Amino acid sequence: MIVPRSKTFVLICLLVLSAMLQAGNCCAAAEKSTEADKNKAEIQSTAPAQAETLVNLLRYKSELDTQIRIARNKLKSSSHLVDKETLEEEIKEMQAQLTHVEHNFVKVATGLDISVFNEEEQHDFVWQEEIETLVRPLLQELKEMTKRPRLIERLKSRVAYFESKLPRADEAVTNIDTLIETSDSPILKAELQKLRENFVKRRADISNQRDVARFELNELMKDDQSFFESTKKIMAVFFKSRGKNILIAMLAFAGVFLLFRLIDRGIKKLHPSFMTRERPFYIRLIEVLLLFLTVIAATSASLFTLYISGDWFLLSIAIIFIIGALWTAREGFTRYYEQVKLILNLGSAREGERITYNGVPWMVESLQLFCKIKNPALSPSRIRLPIAELAEVNSRPLGNNEPWFPCNAGDWVILADGVRGKVISQSPDTVELIQRGGAYVTYQTTDFLGLTPKNLSRNFRLKSVFGVDYALQENSTAAIPAQAKEFISGRLVEEGYGKHLLNLNVEFESAAASSLNMVIIADFSGEVAELYGRLERALQRYSVEACTKYGWNIPFNQLVVHRAE
């Protein structure tokens, strides 16, 4: 039988996965065996000290049993009410000490705290406690990570506390012995002897408590590691136990998210209304709902994987993170509402209309989570923006033949700062010019527009003024302008500018202080925009040549001084 390729691939993947799991189990078993051998060697090295501590605890336990039995016999034989109450208090105190000694005996013998085997009590449902239950795994994990240093510090404090109490107990016993030796009263000696026995018991109890705390401290200090090693071990344990669950949750989120995005694309391809330029309102509403559904489904899938894996620690962190994100988003509800209105094409900026963004005109192409705006005069002509960038922007309908930019690449322009050059590139960020001679000038696009560029490539006008003497006043308004126009027109044709000349006129402009001024008005096509400066100088040259040819005196500013009589 022939197996299809897809099934063969699946079988190979299953075999590889099975082999990896078996290898992982073998490594884990070997690691456990090594760790068990190490623990066994450590126990053997500390066995003598441990046995000595256990013997001392047994002796103390035996003494407490004897004292409790004696106190109970005294309680039975006593008839005085005050004595009975005193004996009952002593019995309770000794029983508490006996319980504590038994607990310490088990702890030293097993190396474990038996309280870990105690079951927690069941409580009725209280919502505050349920919230605490949700947070408790996170706190327990943090406590577990810091358990060792906290326990070491607590044991050091206990050892220091008991060591400070032992000298006091020794001093008390010594003082009592001195009084017994110096006293002659049998009654006083009997009371002092009872008091001495009480303090000897206390000293023994303090000594035993110190030995137990010191033993526990030594057990913990045997595995003392550097901060780096401890952190490395904690992280290794964390990722070994939690890493798989984190990976599965992330894969579930990504898988469901991609699945819904594929469904979204499939719906858009099947329904033609999604592809039209002017999409109806219900189509936009479906897109928004699909987006929300995608996020909710992907988040739910990742939480569900953590739930079925039983990892309440990661589940608690995820739920707390989601609650925190929702709580933070609560303050920006108005902002998000405006953004949803924009996506539905109900906001201040709408598709197919004109906006001004960063001082540059644009047309809104599409409104989604990331909007597209277009300016056909720039390169690149489209940019993508997050929807929040258009929240405060107002759009308007497009005007007929409304320009998108004052120039195009290849045009010659003059700016308000006097720079003249050819536009070689214009983008949403910068505009670059090349001047005559090869110098490059770069402007920010907003700064370029602020300098009100004058485009010479769509035809331009030059004006040039020259003056003649007041002696020619009679012919200054008609004959001289006509002769100058004829002469300048001929010169333009001679130098090859005639085919680019659109209009030429010479007119009387003004009567100045020392001259009668004529203005030359010449309109040229944009083909000679590059020669703007040369043409400007040529008109001045032609006016001087005309004055020379026709004998028109060119006056200069004069200062007249009148002598007083």
Side-chain angles (χ1 to χ4, degrees), residues 300-323:
S300 301
S302 60
L303 294 178
F304 182 72
T305 57
L306 296 176
Y307 173 77
I308 61 176
S309 64
D311 196 334
W312 292 102
F313 172 67
L314 292 178
L315 184 61
S316 300
I317 291 179
I319 293 175
I320 292 171
F321 176 78
I322 293 172
I323 293 174

PDB file of all heavy atoms in Angstrom, residues 300-323:
ATOM      1  N   SER A 300      -8.510  33.854  24.585  1.00  0.00           N
ATOM      2  CA  SER A 300      -9.204  32.736  25.239  1.00  0.00           C
ATOM      3  C   SER A 300      -8.490  31.414  24.991  1.00  0.00           C
ATOM      4  O   SER A 300      -8.411  30.557  25.882  1.00  0.00           O
ATOM      5  CB  SER A 300     -10.653  32.661  24.743  1.00  0.00           C
ATOM      6  OG  SER A 300     -11.336  33.871  25.011  1.00  0.00           O
ATOM      7  N   ALA A 301      -7.959  31.238  23.791  1.00  0.00           N
ATOM      8  CA  ALA A 301      -7.248  29.987  23.481  1.00  0.00           C
ATOM      9  C   ALA A 301      -6.004  29.830  24.346  1.00  0.00           C
ATOM     10  O   ALA A 301      -5.727  28.743  24.869  1.00  0.00           O
ATOM     11  CB  ALA A 301      -6.877  29.960  22.000  1.00  0.00           C
ATOM     12  N   SER A 302      -5.239  30.926  24.514  1.00  0.00           N
ATOM     13  CA  SER A 302      -4.034  30.833  25.347  1.00  0.00           C
ATOM     14  C   SER A 302      -4.393  30.580  26.798  1.00  0.00           C
ATOM     15  O   SER A 302      -3.725  29.788  27.486  1.00  0.00           O
ATOM     16  CB  SER A 302      -3.214  32.127  25.211  1.00  0.00           C
ATOM     17  OG  SER A 302      -3.974  33.242  25.638  1.00  0.00           O
ATOM     18  N   LEU A 303      -5.466  31.211  27.308  1.00  0.00           N
ATOM     19  CA  LEU A 303      -5.891  30.968  28.697  1.00  0.00           C
ATOM     20  C   LEU A 303      -6.392  29.535  28.869  1.00  0.00           C
ATOM     21  O   LEU A 303      -6.154  28.900  29.903  1.00  0.00           O
ATOM     22  CB  LEU A 303      -6.984  31.957  29.097  1.00  0.00           C
ATOM     23  CG  LEU A 303      -6.580  33.437  29.189  1.00  0.00           C
ATOM     24  CD1 LEU A 303      -7.779  34.293  29.540  1.00  0.00           C
ATOM     25  CD2 LEU A 303      -5.471  33.628  30.220  1.00  0.00           C
ATOM     26  N   PHE A 304      -7.083  29.010  27.854  1.00  0.00           N
ATOM     27  CA  PHE A 304      -7.614  27.652  27.945  1.00  0.00           C
ATOM     28  C   PHE A 304      -6.482  26.620  28.016  1.00  0.00           C
ATOM     29  O   PHE A 304      -6.579  25.630  28.756  1.00  0.00           O
ATOM     30  CB  PHE A 304      -8.515  27.375  26.739  1.00  0.00           C
ATOM     31  CG  PHE A 304      -9.155  26.020  26.764  1.00  0.00           C
ATOM     32  CD1 PHE A 304     -10.170  25.725  27.663  1.00  0.00           C
ATOM     33  CD2 PHE A 304      -8.727  25.022  25.900  1.00  0.00           C
ATOM     34  CE1 PHE A 304     -10.743  24.467  27.693  1.00  0.00           C
ATOM     35  CE2 PHE A 304      -9.295  23.770  25.916  1.00  0.00           C
ATOM     36  CZ  PHE A 304     -10.315  23.491  26.821  1.00  0.00           C
ATOM     37  N   THR A 305      -5.408  26.850  27.259  1.00  0.00           N
ATOM     38  CA  THR A 305      -4.276  25.914  27.324  1.00  0.00           C
ATOM     39  C   THR A 305      -3.637  25.908  28.717  1.00  0.00           C
ATOM     40  O   THR A 305      -3.233  24.852  29.222  1.00  0.00           O
ATOM     41  CB  THR A 305      -3.222  26.292  26.275  1.00  0.00           C
ATOM     42  OG1 THR A 305      -2.798  27.642  26.487  1.00  0.00           O
ATOM     43  CG2 THR A 305      -3.764  26.148  24.880  1.00  0.00           C
ATOM     44  N   LEU A 306      -3.546  27.084  29.339  1.00  0.00           N
ATOM     45  CA  LEU A 306      -3.008  27.136  30.702  1.00  0.00           C
ATOM     46  C   LEU A 306      -3.962  26.463  31.693  1.00  0.00           C
ATOM     47  O   LEU A 306      -3.522  25.838  32.662  1.00  0.00           O
ATOM     48  CB  LEU A 306      -2.762  28.589  31.120  1.00  0.00           C
ATOM     49  CG  LEU A 306      -1.704  29.353  30.319  1.00  0.00           C
ATOM     50  CD1 LEU A 306      -1.640  30.792  30.780  1.00  0.00           C
ATOM     51  CD2 LEU A 306      -0.345  28.692  30.464  1.00  0.00           C
ATOM     52  N   TYR A 307      -5.271  26.573  31.435  1.00  0.00           N
ATOM     53  CA  TYR A 307      -6.255  25.972  32.329  1.00  0.00           C
ATOM     54  C   TYR A 307      -6.193  24.443  32.271  1.00  0.00           C
ATOM     55  O   TYR A 307      -6.172  23.772  33.304  1.00  0.00           O
ATOM     56  CB  TYR A 307      -7.652  26.470  31.962  1.00  0.00           C
ATOM     57  CG  TYR A 307      -8.759  25.787  32.718  1.00  0.00           C
ATOM     58  CD1 TYR A 307      -9.043  26.127  34.037  1.00  0.00           C
ATOM     59  CD2 TYR A 307      -9.525  24.793  32.108  1.00  0.00           C
ATOM     60  CE1 TYR A 307     -10.060  25.495  34.727  1.00  0.00           C
ATOM     61  CE2 TYR A 307     -10.543  24.155  32.789  1.00  0.00           C
ATOM     62  CZ  TYR A 307     -10.811  24.513  34.110  1.00  0.00           C
ATOM     63  OH  TYR A 307     -11.806  23.878  34.791  1.00  0.00           O
ATOM     64  N   ILE A 308      -6.161  23.894  31.060  1.00  0.00           N
ATOM     65  CA  ILE A 308      -6.165  22.428  30.950  1.00  0.00           C
ATOM     66  C   ILE A 308      -4.828  21.830  31.396  1.00  0.00           C
ATOM     67  O   ILE A 308      -4.763  20.663  31.769  1.00  0.00           O
ATOM     68  CB  ILE A 308      -6.487  21.985  29.514  1.00  0.00           C
ATOM     69  CG1 ILE A 308      -5.450  22.510  28.528  1.00  0.00           C
ATOM     70  CG2 ILE A 308      -7.873  22.427  29.122  1.00  0.00           C
ATOM     71  CD1 ILE A 308      -5.661  22.010  27.104  1.00  0.00           C
ATOM     72  N   SER A 309      -3.739  22.628  31.361  1.00  0.00           N
ATOM     73  CA  SER A 309      -2.453  22.125  31.844  1.00  0.00           C
ATOM     74  C   SER A 309      -2.350  22.196  33.371  1.00  0.00           C
ATOM     75  O   SER A 309      -1.419  21.642  33.949  1.00  0.00           O
ATOM     76  CB  SER A 309      -1.301  22.917  31.218  1.00  0.00           C
ATOM     77  OG  SER A 309      -1.346  24.272  31.629  1.00  0.00           O
ATOM     78  N   GLY A 310      -3.307  22.900  34.005  1.00  0.00           N
ATOM     79  CA  GLY A 310      -3.309  23.003  35.458  1.00  0.00           C
ATOM     80  C   GLY A 310      -2.255  23.940  36.018  1.00  0.00           C
ATOM     81  O   GLY A 310      -1.943  23.874  37.213  1.00  0.00           O
ATOM     82  N   ASP A 311      -1.714  24.803  35.185  1.00  0.00           N
ATOM     83  CA  ASP A 311      -0.680  25.736  35.638  1.00  0.00           C
ATOM     84  C   ASP A 311      -1.354  27.014  36.152  1.00  0.00           C
ATOM     85  O   ASP A 311      -1.522  28.005  35.445  1.00  0.00           O
ATOM     86  CB  ASP A 311       0.276  26.067  34.480  1.00  0.00           C
ATOM     87  CG  ASP A 311       1.565  26.700  34.972  1.00  0.00           C
ATOM     88  OD1 ASP A 311       1.544  27.323  36.050  1.00  0.00           O
ATOM     89  OD2 ASP A 311       2.601  26.550  34.296  1.00  0.00           O
ATOM     90  N   TRP A 312      -1.752  26.983  37.429  1.00  0.00           N
ATOM     91  CA  TRP A 312      -2.474  28.118  38.002  1.00  0.00           C
ATOM     92  C   TRP A 312      -1.579  29.322  38.191  1.00  0.00           C
ATOM     93  O   TRP A 312      -2.065  30.465  38.253  1.00  0.00           O
ATOM     94  CB  TRP A 312      -3.100  27.713  39.332  1.00  0.00           C
ATOM     95  CG  TRP A 312      -4.187  26.718  39.156  1.00  0.00           C
ATOM     96  CD1 TRP A 312      -4.135  25.380  39.377  1.00  0.00           C
ATOM     97  CD2 TRP A 312      -5.501  26.989  38.667  1.00  0.00           C
ATOM     98  NE1 TRP A 312      -5.328  24.788  39.059  1.00  0.00           N
ATOM     99  CE2 TRP A 312      -6.195  25.762  38.621  1.00  0.00           C
ATOM    100  CE3 TRP A 312      -6.169  28.153  38.257  1.00  0.00           C
ATOM    101  CZ2 TRP A 312      -7.507  25.663  38.195  1.00  0.00           C
ATOM    102  CZ3 TRP A 312      -7.478  28.052  37.833  1.00  0.00           C
ATOM    103  CH2 TRP A 312      -8.141  26.816  37.810  1.00  0.00           C
ATOM    104  N   PHE A 313      -0.276  29.105  38.303  1.00  0.00           N
ATOM    105  CA  PHE A 313       0.639  30.246  38.454  1.00  0.00           C
ATOM    106  C   PHE A 313       0.621  31.112  37.199  1.00  0.00           C
ATOM    107  O   PHE A 313       0.381  32.324  37.256  1.00  0.00           O
ATOM    108  CB  PHE A 313       2.047  29.719  38.738  1.00  0.00           C
ATOM    109  CG  PHE A 313       3.105  30.784  38.716  1.00  0.00           C
ATOM    110  CD1 PHE A 313       3.125  31.766  39.682  1.00  0.00           C
ATOM    111  CD2 PHE A 313       4.071  30.799  37.723  1.00  0.00           C
ATOM    112  CE1 PHE A 313       4.086  32.760  39.661  1.00  0.00           C
ATOM    113  CE2 PHE A 313       5.035  31.785  37.685  1.00  0.00           C
ATOM    114  CZ  PHE A 313       5.047  32.769  38.660  1.00  0.00           C
ATOM    115  N   LEU A 314       0.868  30.503  36.029  1.00  0.00           N
ATOM    116  CA  LEU A 314       0.851  31.264  34.780  1.00  0.00           C
ATOM    117  C   LEU A 314      -0.546  31.771  34.449  1.00  0.00           C
ATOM    118  O   LEU A 314      -0.707  32.874  33.905  1.00  0.00           O
ATOM    119  CB  LEU A 314       1.368  30.392  33.629  1.00  0.00           C
ATOM    120  CG  LEU A 314       2.858  30.015  33.694  1.00  0.00           C
ATOM    121  CD1 LEU A 314       3.223  29.121  32.522  1.00  0.00           C
ATOM    122  CD2 LEU A 314       3.734  31.265  33.703  1.00  0.00           C
ATOM    123  N   LEU A 315      -1.567  30.984  34.787  1.00  0.00           N
ATOM    124  CA  LEU A 315      -2.934  31.424  34.531  1.00  0.00           C
ATOM    125  C   LEU A 315      -3.263  32.663  35.360  1.00  0.00           C
ATOM    126  O   LEU A 315      -3.914  33.595  34.877  1.00  0.00           O
ATOM    127  CB  LEU A 315      -3.910  30.288  34.839  1.00  0.00           C
ATOM    128  CG  LEU A 315      -5.386  30.556  34.528  1.00  0.00           C
ATOM    129  CD1 LEU A 315      -5.566  30.826  33.034  1.00  0.00           C
ATOM    130  CD2 LEU A 315      -6.256  29.382  34.958  1.00  0.00           C
ATOM    131  N   SER A 316      -2.791  32.675  36.615  1.00  0.00           N
ATOM    132  CA  SER A 316      -3.023  33.847  37.472  1.00  0.00           C
ATOM    133  C   SER A 316      -2.320  35.075  36.913  1.00  0.00           C
ATOM    134  O   SER A 316      -2.888  36.172  36.881  1.00  0.00           O
ATOM    135  CB  SER A 316      -2.537  33.556  38.896  1.00  0.00           C
ATOM    136  OG  SER A 316      -3.216  32.459  39.451  1.00  0.00           O
ATOM    137  N   ILE A 317      -1.064  34.886  36.464  1.00  0.00           N
ATOM    138  CA  ILE A 317      -0.332  36.028  35.883  1.00  0.00           C
ATOM    139  C   ILE A 317      -1.061  36.549  34.648  1.00  0.00           C
ATOM    140  O   ILE A 317      -1.215  37.768  34.471  1.00  0.00           O
ATOM    141  CB  ILE A 317       1.099  35.606  35.520  1.00  0.00           C
ATOM    142  CG1 ILE A 317       1.918  35.350  36.799  1.00  0.00           C
ATOM    143  CG2 ILE A 317       1.786  36.678  34.676  1.00  0.00           C
ATOM    144  CD1 ILE A 317       3.332  34.905  36.525  1.00  0.00           C
ATOM    145  N   ALA A 318      -1.526  35.645  33.788  1.00  0.00           N
ATOM    146  CA  ALA A 318      -2.217  36.063  32.561  1.00  0.00           C
ATOM    147  C   ALA A 318      -3.509  36.815  32.880  1.00  0.00           C
ATOM    148  O   ALA A 318      -3.797  37.863  32.281  1.00  0.00           O
ATOM    149  CB  ALA A 318      -2.510  34.844  31.690  1.00  0.00           C
ATOM    150  N   ILE A 319      -4.281  36.303  33.832  1.00  0.00           N
ATOM    151  CA  ILE A 319      -5.551  36.953  34.186  1.00  0.00           C
ATOM    152  C   ILE A 319      -5.291  38.319  34.823  1.00  0.00           C
ATOM    153  O   ILE A 319      -5.977  39.304  34.509  1.00  0.00           O
ATOM    154  CB  ILE A 319      -6.372  36.049  35.127  1.00  0.00           C
ATOM    155  CG1 ILE A 319      -6.817  34.783  34.377  1.00  0.00           C
ATOM    156  CG2 ILE A 319      -7.582  36.795  35.674  1.00  0.00           C
ATOM    157  CD1 ILE A 319      -7.531  33.772  35.240  1.00  0.00           C
ATOM    158  N   ILE A 320      -4.298  38.395  35.706  1.00  0.00           N
ATOM    159  CA  ILE A 320      -3.961  39.682  36.330  1.00  0.00           C
ATOM    160  C   ILE A 320      -3.502  40.675  35.267  1.00  0.00           C
ATOM    161  O   ILE A 320      -3.853  41.863  35.301  1.00  0.00           O
ATOM    162  CB  ILE A 320      -2.885  39.482  37.408  1.00  0.00           C
ATOM    163  CG1 ILE A 320      -3.464  38.699  38.589  1.00  0.00           C
ATOM    164  CG2 ILE A 320      -2.324  40.819  37.880  1.00  0.00           C
ATOM    165  CD1 ILE A 320      -2.424  38.279  39.599  1.00  0.00           C
ATOM    166  N   PHE A 321      -2.719  40.206  34.303  1.00  0.00           N
ATOM    167  CA  PHE A 321      -2.255  41.085  33.219  1.00  0.00           C
ATOM    168  C   PHE A 321      -3.440  41.596  32.393  1.00  0.00           C
ATOM    169  O   PHE A 321      -3.504  42.792  32.050  1.00  0.00           O
ATOM    170  CB  PHE A 321      -1.281  40.324  32.325  1.00  0.00           C
ATOM    171  CG  PHE A 321      -0.819  41.099  31.133  1.00  0.00           C
ATOM    172  CD1 PHE A 321       0.160  42.078  31.242  1.00  0.00           C
ATOM    173  CD2 PHE A 321      -1.379  40.863  29.882  1.00  0.00           C
ATOM    174  CE1 PHE A 321       0.572  42.801  30.144  1.00  0.00           C
ATOM    175  CE2 PHE A 321      -0.973  41.579  28.777  1.00  0.00           C
ATOM    176  CZ  PHE A 321       0.011  42.555  28.914  1.00  0.00           C
ATOM    177  N   ILE A 322      -4.387  40.712  32.077  1.00  0.00           N
ATOM    178  CA  ILE A 322      -5.550  41.127  31.280  1.00  0.00           C
ATOM    179  C   ILE A 322      -6.396  42.126  32.057  1.00  0.00           C
ATOM    180  O   ILE A 322      -6.848  43.143  31.518  1.00  0.00           O
ATOM    181  CB  ILE A 322      -6.369  39.892  30.880  1.00  0.00           C
ATOM    182  CG1 ILE A 322      -5.561  39.023  29.903  1.00  0.00           C
ATOM    183  CG2 ILE A 322      -7.697  40.303  30.252  1.00  0.00           C
ATOM    184  CD1 ILE A 322      -6.213  37.698  29.595  1.00  0.00           C
ATOM    185  N   ILE A 323      -6.615  41.844  33.362  1.00  0.00           N
ATOM    186  CA  ILE A 323      -7.402  42.779  34.176  1.00  0.00           C
ATOM    187  C   ILE A 323      -6.704  44.132  34.250  1.00  0.00           C
ATOM    188  O   ILE A 323      -7.338  45.190  34.148  1.00  0.00           O
ATOM    189  CB  ILE A 323      -7.618  42.190  35.587  1.00  0.00           C
ATOM    190  CG1 ILE A 323      -8.518  40.946  35.503  1.00  0.00           C
ATOM    191  CG2 ILE A 323      -8.233  43.232  36.508  1.00  0.00           C
ATOM    192  CD1 ILE A 323      -8.665  40.218  36.816  1.00  0.00           C
TER     193      ILE A 323
END
